Amino acid sequence: MTPYSLLDLSPIVEGSDAGQAMRNSLDLAQHAERLGYRRFWLAEHHNMPGIASAATSVLIGYVANGTSTIRVGSGGIMLPNHSPLVIAEQFGTLASLYPGRIDLGLGRAPGSDQATARALRRQLSHDSADTFPQDVEELQAFFDDVRPGQRVRAVPGAGLKVPLWLLGSSLFSAQLSAAMGLPFAFASHFAPGFMRQAVDLYRRTFRPSEQLDRPHVMLGLNVFAADTDEEGQRLFSSLQQQFLALIRGTPGQLKPPVDDITRLWDASEADHIRRSLACSAVGSADTVRQAMQRFVDDLQPDELMLTGMIYDHAARLKSFEMAADIARSLQSPSRPSLD
């Protein structure tokens, strides 16, 4: 069985607020724990009216405190927004409170626009992304045992060896993950363009490390499961509308589903969104099962990261319950687990 995990953006739905979005995230995590999901990850986004997980480490603590066995982590923390020491202290705190349950996924995108990046009070420069490899190494060092003469240490954090993941949607993070011997998560759920090349590059060039002795690929997949194909497509329309708003520069709260999404976009917008969301399993249980099995057969991920921006919370819980049942039934190569 291919292990399956869950990525939640803590969506703020139209007519609701961030507090309810966070409570819904905790409820979803508790359901995910009972349904056998391995991890529950939250993502850092800023200045996004429809996403409540900006203070990602705080929300991870809230979710970890309300669960008991599922791993909780970031998918991801956008490291260019922070100093490595601050992230080491935050996740050292989380790992001290919830030992053996915290993951730290790292991305190199800012997760925001330039104006928001400035408001985060991180110095902006043309080479900020180029320091990402050095920042990852610095962060990793803060989680190692303290070295003789080390003047700056993460307290808590030092010696905890919090597991790191690198996230990406291009070849850069694939190459860096392989060189550092870290697990790699590809953002195929919204940017699948370089997925095949990135997975191949990572697996071909992987070098074993203290953290990981063989390559481990996690791939994102949107899942919108419902009683019928029509209802699944209808649920999917909320995510499609969110992407449409991003294309038009008008991001907002997650909108309720519509019966006919084609009435809302033009041909070029539709093509862009279809390409962005190509890695999606949408429809009835049988339809979703077939799509997920094709995805696993084709790419052979070591782990699936399932996600689904669904407007109605009850429908979201049901979709992830159906997805868990389907994931357990998938045929896949036997692979060692990564806890």
Side-chain angles (χ1 to χ4, degrees):
M1 181 188 76
T2 301
Y4 53 98
S5 295
L6 197 159
L7 172 66
D8 180 36
L9 298 186
S10 197
I12 306 173
V13 304
E14 200 168 78
S16 188
D17 56 32
Q20 187 59 53
M22 295 175 196
R23 290 187 287 274
N24 287 346
S25 288
L26 175 57
D27 186 48
L28 178 59
Q30 292 167 339
H31 277 75
E33 186 170 69
R34 291 192 290 270
L35 293 167
Y37 285 85
R38 174 171 290 180
R39 311 173 201 279
F40 187 92
W41 280 6
L42 295 146
E44 177 186 353
H45 292 276
H46 300 281
N47 196 29
M48 297 292 287
I51 298 175
S53 53
T56 315
S57 59
V58 177
L59 193 52
I60 288 171
Y62 172 65
V63 170
N65 188 60
T67 52
S68 58
T69 58
I70 194 169
R71 296 189 68 91
V72 187
S74 60
I77 290 292
M78 301 298 107
L79 196 53
N81 295 335
H82 313 277
S83 75
L85 176 59
V86 168
I87 297 303
E89 291 171 340
Q90 290 178 0
F91 279 78
T93 299
L94 290 167
S96 298
L97 290 170
Y98 311 103
R101 294 183 55 210
I102 300 300
D103 296 325
L104 176 49
L106 301 167
R108 64 190 284 258
S112 61
D113 54 63
Q114 288 295 303
T116 306
R118 292 190 187 92
L120 289 167
R121 302 182 185 276
R122 179 73 166 167
Q123 182 179 358
L124 297 179
S125 66
H126 70 279
D127 62 349
S128 60
D130 294 337
T131 67
F132 181 71
Q134 292 76 31
D135 288 345
V136 174
E137 290 180 346
E138 183 180 348
L139 176 58
Q140 199 170 38
F142 281 129
F143 287 132
D144 283 343
D145 297 327
V146 175
R147 301 177 301 279
Q150 182 176 338
R151 298 184 60 186
V152 179
R153 62 186 68 181
V155 183
L160 294 182
K161 301 186 187 300
V162 175
L164 301 185
W165 292 68
L166 294 192
L167 283 56
S169 59
S170 69
L171 303 184
F172 180 92
S173 291
Q175 188 172 27
L176 182 61
S177 300
M180 298 187 71
L182 295 175
F184 176 54
F186 191 85
S188 38
H189 58 294
F190 73 87
F194 291 98
M195 175 177 59
R196 293 179 187 280
Q197 299 97 309
V199 170
D200 177 67
L201 175 64
Y202 170 73
R203 285 177 169 156
R204 281 192 295 103
T205 61
F206 180 84
R207 301 175 185 171
S209 67
E210 181 181 345
Q211 179 176 331
L212 192 62
D213 63 355
R214 67 189 69 196
H216 188 93
V217 173
M218 176 191 285
L219 296 179
L221 181 67
N222 296 297
V223 176
F224 292 79
D227 290 334
T228 65
D229 287 346
E230 292 75 18
E231 180 58 20
Q233 290 291 341
R234 187 172 183 275
L235 296 178
F236 188 38
S237 69
S238 292
L239 179 60
Q240 292 170 316
Q241 289 179 81
Q242 189 178 54
F243 269 69
L244 182 60
L246 289 174
I247 291 171
R248 294 176 176 176
T250 57
Q253 296 178 333
L254 188 66
K255 292 183 177 297
V258 294
D259 292 326
D260 185 5
I261 188 69
T262 64
R263 298 178 63 181
L264 301 182
W265 58 28
D266 62 31
S268 63
E269 291 169 335
D271 182 64
H272 179 89
I273 292 170
R274 289 189 183 108
R275 283 186 280 108
S276 298
L277 302 179
C279 292
S280 299
V282 182
S284 66
D286 286 342
T287 301
V288 169
R289 180 178 291 105
Q290 292 172 25
M292 289 179 67
Q293 188 66 67
R294 285 195 302 270
F295 189 76
V296 169
D297 289 345
D298 185 20
L299 296 149
Q300 299 188 6
D302 299 286
E303 190 166 344
L304 288 171
M305 179 57 80
L306 306 181
T307 187
M309 296 282 277
I310 295 176
Y311 178 84
D312 179 73
H313 184 58
R316 184 163 68 139
L317 296 179
K318 181 177 179 178
S319 178
F320 280 115
E321 181 175 358
M322 293 175 67
D325 288 340
I326 293 167
R328 286 192 293 270
S329 72
L330 296 178
Q331 301 298 313
S332 62
S334 177
R335 298 182 184 276
S337 65
L338 180 66
D339 293 329

